[in-house]
Amino acid sequence: MRDTVTDMRFPPPIALLVGLLLALPDPAAGDAETGPSPPSNLTVGEAQRGFATHAFSVTALERHHEERIRALDWHSAALHSVLELNPDAPGIARRLDADRAAHGPLFGIPILLKDNIDTAGALHTTAGSLALMDSAPAQDAFIVRRLRAAGAVILGKTNLSEWANYRSKHASSGWSGRGGQTRNPYALDRNPCGSSSGSGAAIAADLALVAVGTETDGSIVCPASVNGLVGLKPTLGLVSRSGIIPIAASQDTAGPMTRTVADAAALLNVLAGYDPDDPATLPLKDNPPQDFRLALRSDALKGVRVGVMREFAGFQDDVDRHFEQALNTLRSLGAVIVDPVSIPTKGKFDTDEQTVLQYEFKDGINRYLAARRGAGPKDLAALIAFNETHRAQEMSWFGQDILLDAQRAGPLSDSAYIDAHERAKRLAGPEGIDAALSANHLDVLVAPTLGPAWLTDLIDGDHVVGGDITSPPAVAGYPHITVPMEPVHGLPIGLSFVGTAWSDAALLGYAYAFEQATHFRRPPRFLPHLSE
């Protein structure tokens, strides 16, 4: 396991780049044991065609990404996006190579998991906190079991904003006590956003083919946007929450973080499904989700009525200019643009959302911690006490004010919680997104996801520009996908598509049509061997 990062000094850019170049293996070189090396920035489809034609092996692909992690992510403390590698991954890859008949939909695909998704066995699950290093979940999360059954190679766990960014209002996204500060691979002094920071940075830097992130409000789409990725926050209940360290049961979900829309659809096909232990997935019991790849058509926007949410733009001139360009692309693809439209309840459920999160976090984290095996805190009060005792490691940059507020919350039977929960869901969903869609006979809403990545500031915390679009679909439990727009001065930005509940397939189709018409995604230019 990799050592915890404690030294947060940024090395000079030239010295860092030289170190990276010296550490990175030659991508053209093969290996007598694994065979030819695979190319960089593969898609899921390209990797599986490579396996089928014996252009490279699963073992070679696993080793390729493990070597990239050691060279680009760990050497000179460059990205801090991957916390640890799975020591079982090479053996899993060899077994898959030996049994090519045992194909699954993600056969041989190296995948990284955010470190709040339970993995039993060799890999830790800590939410980035040193408090959970000596305890473990009893079993894999439901979605991890599905990934293993689908033939995926679990490569390792990614860094995150500690406790999925639910610890302090003054936190720096991407920092955890266990992993240090994750950096944005497009500019190392800029932030990767959170809380799925490591998942975003790692996939942008081609440290695996795909990753799974989680979102309560913005934690998939924000890091996807600023790292030049496709990120999908699914409808609540499409993907099981069992075995995911909770913030809020009414908003939490896992989702894909990938370099292409097609990869997001392929990953979602495996993640989505009915879980008897998660009541939110009950609608899928008798109606399993379709193959999301069927929605991927280049003409998917033809005749689609698209509402432009100007109220979520206007925060940065370059972003506005590229947003106008994106709207022109949508028109050229046959979309009917309705401009402007608004969510009538914008800003009216923010306070209720915070109330709901406090109550649900305390309830959920107490139950989760009590079920873990081994040492470590067994409830929120003990977690708070651990942080105080280990203040030098855990609270050198910011405190735990959010945890303290949550500890003061009462049980879920409190009328304050019940009223806030009902009001927030109604205002964000039926009276918010649904009202905006129905008033204008719309199929989907669009807006810029947020501005470019900001400079990381461990002292004063995040300086996010824009990003308000994340809250309505997060609180409503509705789907939200971001896809790359044209970068701003080399820094990625995203275009958001937001729809009503269970419109995930349609959103994937719209994002795919836009992606195929633009191809704005570019790998980080200064990292060696990442050029296309």
Side-chain angles (χ1 to χ4, degrees):
M1 189 189 77
R2 173 190 168 193
D3 291 336
T4 299
V5 176
T6 56
D7 184 356
M8 296 311 302
R9 294 172 293 179
F10 286 10
I14 298 299
L16 175 60
L17 183 55
V18 170
L20 292 174
L21 287 165
L22 292 173
L24 200 68
D26 181 359
D31 183 279
E33 179 184 350
T34 64
S37 295
S40 295
N41 287 294
L42 288 172
T43 66
V44 169
E46 289 167 346
Q48 293 186 328
R49 286 191 291 274
F51 301 148
T53 60
H54 300 279
F56 48 84
S57 64
V58 177
T59 300
L61 188 61
E62 188 278 333
R63 180 171 294 184
H64 168 80
H65 286 100
E66 182 175 327
E67 288 175 345
R68 289 183 66 81
I69 289 169
R70 294 186 186 281
L72 294 179
D73 200 68
W74 296 356
H75 181 78
S76 298
L79 294 178
H80 296 261
S81 68
V82 178
L83 288 170
E84 62 180 310
L85 285 165
N86 182 5
D88 298 331
I92 293 169
R94 288 192 294 270
R95 287 195 294 274
L96 290 172
D97 279 327
D99 187 12
R100 294 293 183 97
H103 268 111
L106 291 179
F107 175 86
I109 301 302
I111 184 169
L112 289 165
L113 303 176
K114 186 177 179 180
D115 188 39
N116 62 347
I117 300 171
D118 281 352
T119 47
L123 288 169
H124 293 83
T125 303
T126 68
S129 172
L130 299 174
L132 299 190
M133 289 296 292
D134 295 324
S135 65
Q139 63 178 353
D140 285 341
F142 180 80
I143 60 172
V144 175
R145 299 198 297 272
R146 289 180 68 88
L147 289 166
R148 295 191 196 276
V153 179
I154 308 299
L155 193 60
K157 303 295 277 289
T158 58
N159 201 9
L160 70 163
S161 310
E162 188 172 297
W163 295 106
N165 227 4
Y166 201 72
R167 206 193 87 179
S168 173
K169 301 181 184 74
H170 309 291
S172 172
S173 287
W175 185 92
S176 73
R178 182 181 174 200
Q181 177 64 55
T182 305
R183 301 174 183 177
N184 190 308
Y186 287 87
L188 294 182
D189 58 349
R190 290 185 180 265
N191 199 270
C193 197
S195 62
S196 304
S197 317
S199 297
I203 301 307
D206 188 28
L207 304 186
L209 265 69
V210 297
V212 180
T214 68
E215 175 162 330
T216 304
D217 188 336
S219 289
I220 288 175
V221 294
C222 181
S225 178
V226 303
N227 288 283
L229 301 180
V230 175
L232 172 65
K233 183 203 81 71
T235 298
L236 187 75
L238 183 61
V239 175
S240 169
R241 304 161 299 177
S242 297
I244 297 176
I245 298 177
I247 292 180
S250 62
Q251 295 183 205
D252 291 347
T253 183
M257 299 180 71
T258 63
R259 292 189 289 270
T260 69
V261 178
D263 282 0
L267 181 51
L268 187 62
N269 274 346
V270 174
L271 297 178
Y274 170 63
D275 174 10
D277 293 327
D278 185 351
T281 66
L282 186 60
L284 305 179
K285 183 178 182 181
D286 298 319
N287 295 286
Q290 66 173 49
D291 184 339
F292 290 101
R293 295 171 298 180
L294 298 175
L296 306 184
R297 305 188 332 269
S298 59
D299 65 348
L301 280 161
K302 188 175 182 179
V304 172
R305 291 179 61 81
V306 177
V308 180
M309 295 186 288
R310 295 282 174 187
E311 60 195 343
F312 295 107
F315 51 80
Q316 210 266 359
D317 290 344
D318 290 320
V319 173
D320 285 345
R321 185 171 66 254
H322 293 180
F323 183 47
E324 294 304 324
Q325 176 185 342
L327 295 177
N328 287 334
T329 299
L330 299 182
R331 290 188 185 94
S332 74
L333 294 170
V336 178
I337 302 298
V338 182
D339 185 7
V341 301
S342 64
I343 293 179
T345 55
K346 178 180 181 291
K348 295 182 180 179
F349 47 82
D350 295 348
T351 300
D352 286 329
E353 179 187 14
Q354 297 311 312
T355 298
V356 169
L357 264 56
Q358 289 175 5
Y359 275 86
E360 291 188 357
F361 178 75
K362 182 179 181 180
D363 174 78
I365 202 64
N366 281 343
R367 287 185 289 107
Y368 175 83
L369 292 175
R372 282 181 65 108
R373 297 175 174 176
K378 295 301 181 182
D379 59 18
L380 178 56
L383 170 60
I384 291 169
F386 177 94
N387 289 338
E388 287 292 345
T389 303
H390 298 82
R391 177 173 283 274
Q393 299 97 332
E394 282 289 352
M395 295 200 291
S396 57
W397 297 108
F398 52 87
Q400 55 180 338
D401 45 291
I402 290 177
L403 299 187
L404 294 170
D405 288 345
Q407 177 62 17
R408 288 189 282 269
L412 298 186
S413 57
D414 279 4
S415 60
Y417 164 74
I418 294 170
D419 293 345
H421 178 268
E422 183 280 328
R423 198 163 45 236
K425 286 292 182 184
R426 171 171 48 83
L427 291 174
E431 296 181 17
I433 293 172
D434 290 335
L437 292 169
S438 62
N440 299 278
H441 307 288
L442 301 173
D443 299 294
V444 67
L445 303 170
V446 296
T449 308
L450 75 162
W454 57 95
L455 293 172
T456 292
D457 185 345
L458 287 164
I459 296 174
D460 293 326
D462 290 340
H463 309 289
V464 184
V465 177
D468 292 345
I469 183 54
T470 67
S471 289
V475 175
Y478 290 1
H480 177 186
I481 191 169
T482 182
V483 62
M485 286 199 292
E486 183 179 2
V488 169
H489 303 297
L491 296 173
I493 57 173
L495 175 67
S496 282
F497 293 87
V498 173
T500 192
W502 308 105
S503 64
D504 307 68
L507 297 194
L508 283 162
Y510 305 150
Y512 179 80
F514 179 81
E515 173 196 59
Q516 295 302 298
T518 57
H519 294 287
F520 282 134
R521 196 262 162 184
R522 292 289 183 273
R525 288 181 295 176
F526 73 93
L527 290 180
H529 306 305
L530 284 176
S531 60
E532 292 181 330

